[in-house]
Amino acid sequence: MISGYLRPDGRMGIRNHVLVLSSVGCANAVVRRISQQVEGVVGVENTKGCGQVGKGIETMRRSLVNLPQNPNVFGTLIVGLGCESTRPLDLAEQISRMSDKPIRAIIIQDCGGSLGAIEEGVRAARELVAHAALVQRIPMPLDKLVLGTNCGGSDATSGLAANPTIGLVSDWVINGGGTVLMGETTELIGAEHILAHRAVTKEVASDILRMVDHLEEDFLSNDIDVRGANPSPGNMRGGLSTLEEKSLGGISKGGSHPISQVVRYGEVPSKRGFVLMDTPGYDIESVSGMSTGGAQVMLFSTGRGTPIGNPLMPVIKVTANAWTYRRMRDNVDFDASGVITGLATMEEQAALLRGMLVNVCNGELTRAEALGFDDFTIYHGQEYWCSCEFES
């Protein structure tokens, strides 16, 4: 039913990208120029990469190491400046120890400047693209699929129909042996006790509660009223009244299966099934973290409408607001308003969405892909709930 590209580590991708990745913000312009000149390349710009300390730099380095491991990536070219704290050659060596995928690295200072780096980078990227073109699609078992889920611009219809429809598709993926990621820790507040009851072990339940509790404690210690910003003005105009109401609707994206694991931002799950990732509520950072954690495709619910995409994985936009679907056809892929209007059952809607997911996995472009929308930002905040250290 689904086809994909086999990778050396046994995982499979539904896209066959060559990634050009900056190790530091100073290299972003060079990454952009290389990506513009080579067809078949996706560029990812890292806004930081130097001058960071503590857990923030651990999160960033973990993300930079794991991003090239995403199954949708054939091979990676790292572009660095040469004096940053996240050293590009060390980064490439660490990545190569984790995978047999092609990995190259260039340093702007060693190339004599930007123009020399662009020239060398274009040459290296074209070689990688030529090798990637030799890889053919083959049948892909559903247990190879990692599905990301996210909300953005939610309204009352999101919790009533869009998120539960996604939840049924999530159950289908997990029933087939696959994995579903759900994040946005800020929007779990008020529903964490429900999720904890679904944990497979007491340890996982403890991780869920600790993750949310520490986030709330951080807000309180900094005199921040999270409910002053969440629900957002758009959420409230769309009919959402409280953060708890938003959270209860949001968690339905994950379906009905037990929670098998909680992972840090950008971490690759070691368990299959339903997995929580500690991501912020900001959509671009949340989606980016799931692509870094290995998701090949995402179902993204939106009541008000949003245009964002991702450079590595297709983002399928789902709305249950018929007005939004008509108004934002440039950006929204699937109309899930049938349940609200009485024209379809939830199961019928989920079957149609599942068919779209299969088609996208097999190469059909989402609206965001067709428009070339490639939003990406690594979360640079602190991690409080997890006591484990970054493993290099």
Side-chain angles (χ1 to χ4, degrees):
M1 186 182 295
I2 294 176
S3 64
Y5 303 93
L6 183 62
R7 303 305 181 199
D9 60 4
R11 293 192 286 175
M12 297 186 72
I14 63 168
R15 296 293 185 265
N16 197 34
H17 296 309
V18 168
L19 170 64
V20 181
L21 174 65
S22 64
S23 62
V24 66
C26 309
N28 285 345
V30 171
V31 165
R32 200 175 309 127
R33 293 293 181 86
I34 294 170
S35 303
Q36 290 168 348
Q37 295 184 42
V38 183
E39 187 176 354
V41 157
V42 294
V44 170
E45 301 175 13
N46 178 26
T47 56
K48 294 193 177 181
C50 196
Q52 294 173 275
V53 295
K55 292 289 185 180
I57 196 167
E58 289 184 9
T59 302
M60 189 212 62
R61 286 177 175 168
R62 179 170 67 246
S63 299
L64 292 180
V65 168
N66 286 343
L67 192 64
Q69 313 306 321
N70 184 293
N72 289 347
V73 174
F74 167 81
T76 302
L77 170 65
I78 296 174
V79 181
L81 178 59
C83 55
E84 61 267 41
S85 55
T86 304
R87 292 175 289 187
L89 295 181
D90 290 349
L91 192 63
E93 182 181 352
Q94 186 174 350
I95 294 168
S96 66
R97 290 200 304 265
M98 298 175 65
S99 170
D100 289 331
K101 289 183 180 181
I103 180 77
R104 312 278 177 83
I106 60 172
I107 298 174
I108 296 170
Q109 291 170 350
D110 291 350
C111 293
S114 297
L115 294 181
I118 292 169
E119 181 180 355
E120 185 171 338
V122 166
R123 183 167 54 249
R126 284 176 175 159
E127 290 176 1
L128 288 170
V129 169
H131 289 299
L134 301 176
V135 183
Q136 301 296 313
R137 282 185 175 271
I138 61 174
M140 176 176 164
L142 196 56
D143 63 11
K144 299 287 187 182
L145 187 66
V146 180
L147 172 69
T149 65
N150 208 82
C151 303
S154 300
D155 68 3
T157 69
S158 298
L160 289 172
N163 290 332
T165 299
I166 290 173
L168 290 177
V169 178
S170 295
D171 282 342
W172 173 74
V173 171
I174 296 172
N175 287 338
T179 299
V180 172
L181 297 178
M182 188 175 76
E184 299 179 287
T185 306
T186 308
E187 296 174 14
L188 304 182
I189 294 173
E192 67 272 22
H193 60 292
I194 299 173
L195 295 172
H197 280 299
R198 291 173 57 183
V200 294
T201 65
K202 291 181 179 179
E203 290 75 18
V204 172
S206 177
D207 282 344
I208 295 168
L209 295 175
R210 188 166 63 248
M211 178 176 67
V212 177
D213 286 348
H214 284 199
L215 178 64
E216 287 195 281
E217 289 170 6
D218 185 46
F219 285 138
L220 292 172
S221 66
N222 288 281
D223 293 323
I224 296 172
D225 177 15
V226 65
R227 289 163 178 81
N230 202 343
S232 69
N235 295 152
M236 289 185 283
R237 284 195 298 271
L240 293 173
S241 60
T242 65
L243 178 54
E244 289 81 2
E245 180 185 17
K246 187 177 180 181
S247 297
L248 289 170
I251 65 173
S252 63
K253 296 191 304 296
S256 61
H257 282 270
I259 298 170
S260 59
Q261 189 178 19
V262 179
V263 296
R264 297 169 294 175
Y265 182 91
E267 186 175 14
V268 178
S270 59
K271 308 285 187 182
R272 292 183 181 177
F274 183 27
V275 176
L276 295 184
M277 178 179 285
D278 185 15
T279 74
Y282 182 51
D283 296 331
I284 295 174
E285 289 182 343
S286 181
V287 173
S288 299
M290 292 187 191
S291 69
T292 302
Q296 303 110 317
V297 63
M298 168 161 285
L299 292 177
F300 188 116
S301 72
T302 178
R304 307 286 293 177
T306 179
I308 73 166
N310 181 268
L312 294 189
M313 66 176 177
V315 179
I316 301 171
K317 302 290 177 41
V318 180
T319 188
N321 187 321
W323 180 72
T324 296
Y325 184 70
R326 290 192 300 269
R327 185 170 57 100
M328 296 193 67
R329 287 295 299 273
D330 289 347
N331 305 113
V332 180
D333 299 277
F334 187 83
D335 180 6
S337 64
V339 169
I340 293 176
T341 59
L343 297 177
T345 66
M346 193 78 71
E347 290 73 17
E348 289 169 340
Q349 268 187 172
L352 292 174
L353 181 57
R354 188 170 67 234
M356 177 175 285
L357 173 63
V358 170
N359 289 340
V360 168
C361 287
N362 288 334
E364 183 178 296
L365 296 183
T366 63
R367 304 276 183 174
E369 284 183 294
L371 291 170
F373 290 171
D374 56 357
D375 310 276
F376 188 92
T377 303
I378 295 173
Y379 173 62
H380 293 289
Q382 296 291 327
E383 295 176 321
Y384 302 96
W385 68 275
C386 185
S387 61
C388 46
E389 295 297 323
F390 173 65
E391 296 180 1
S392 59

